[in-house]
């Protein structure tokens, strides 16, 4: 059996401002942006550069209850984990682009990590896993 998680839905306020943040500040690739007239919404998918794994579906809130979760999809916990091949390159560039880090970089037994906010306040780990970490081995 072979299965995979294809998308993670991230509730956003506005498609275009979310696309701009992810493509301009994080260098994500815009994989798809298709209008779906029957539901009057767009199917917007982004992915980190060079990634062949899970993508993020930018899902505009369409109901008041969904709007309540914009920026707080994980109840204040880190929600997404962006692994990189060069932590300091990406960290320094993100800082230069005004991305807010709420936890400064630190060395942990699993690698180098810092926590940043996306444009709505969701928390992300920027990390570079040690080569010996079981997940790093899967990403090779």
């Amino acid at each position: 059996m072979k299965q995979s998680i294809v998308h993670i839905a991230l509730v956003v306020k506005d498609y275009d401002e979310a696309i701009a943040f992810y493509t301009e500040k994080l260098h994500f690739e815009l994989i798809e942006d298709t209008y779906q007239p029957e539901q009057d919404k767009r199917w917007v998918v982004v992915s980190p550069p060079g990634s062949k794994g899970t993508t993020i579906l930018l899902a505009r809130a369409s109901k008041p209850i969904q709007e309540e979760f914009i920026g707080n999809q994980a109840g204040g916990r880190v929600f997404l984990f962006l692994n990189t091949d060069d932590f300091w390159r990406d960290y320094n560039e993100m800082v230069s682009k005004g991305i807010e880090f709420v936890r400064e970089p630190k060395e942990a037994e699993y690698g180098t990590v810092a926590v940043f906010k996306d444009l709505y306040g969701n928390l992300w780990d920027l990390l570079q896993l040690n080569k010996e970490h079981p997940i790093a081995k899967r990403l090779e």
Side-chain angles (χ1 to χ4, degrees):
M1 177 187 279
K2 183 175 182 179
Q3 298 179 337
S4 60
I5 296 173
V6 179
H7 307 297
I8 301 244
L10 181 63
V11 182
V12 301
K13 189 182 309 181
D14 178 82
Y15 292 119
D16 294 322
E17 72 182 6
I19 290 170
F21 176 83
Y22 286 100
T23 61
E24 295 170 16
K25 295 206 175 196
L26 297 182
H27 298 293
F28 280 31
E29 297 172 43
L30 179 61
I31 305 298
E32 184 175 0
D33 184 356
T34 305
Y35 180 64
Q36 298 180 325
E38 65 281 356
Q39 296 176 338
D40 190 30
K41 69 178 184 179
R42 289 160 58 186
W43 186 261
V44 179
V45 179
V46 296
S47 178
S51 176
K52 292 182 172 82
T54 305
T55 61
I56 296 178
L57 173 67
L58 301 176
R60 187 189 65 196
S62 60
K63 301 174 182 169
I65 191 148
Q66 294 172 358
E67 291 173 4
E68 294 175 21
F69 292 94
I70 295 171
N72 191 25
Q73 287 197 206
R77 292 189 62 123
V78 170
F79 176 53
L80 296 165
F81 300 79
L82 180 61
N83 189 60
T84 178
D85 63 347
D86 187 332
F87 178 88
W88 292 106
R89 174 199 64 211
D90 293 347
Y91 172 80
N92 289 326
E93 182 171 352
M94 291 166 74
V95 168
S96 76
K97 291 187 175 196
I99 293 177
E100 179 185 356
F101 279 82
V102 297
R103 282 189 226 134
E104 292 302 313
K106 72 173 189 172
E107 295 294 327
E109 72 178 54
Y110 56 84
T112 308
V113 63
V115 179
F116 70 93
K117 288 183 180 182
D118 70 13
L119 76 163
Y120 298 117
N122 291 299
L123 298 179
W124 289 64
D125 269 2
L126 173 66
L127 69 144
Q128 183 173 3
L129 294 170
N130 291 332
K131 289 181 172 44
E132 304 79 35
H133 192 280
I135 298 298
K137 291 179 180 184
R138 292 185 67 159
L139 297 173
E140 292 177 345

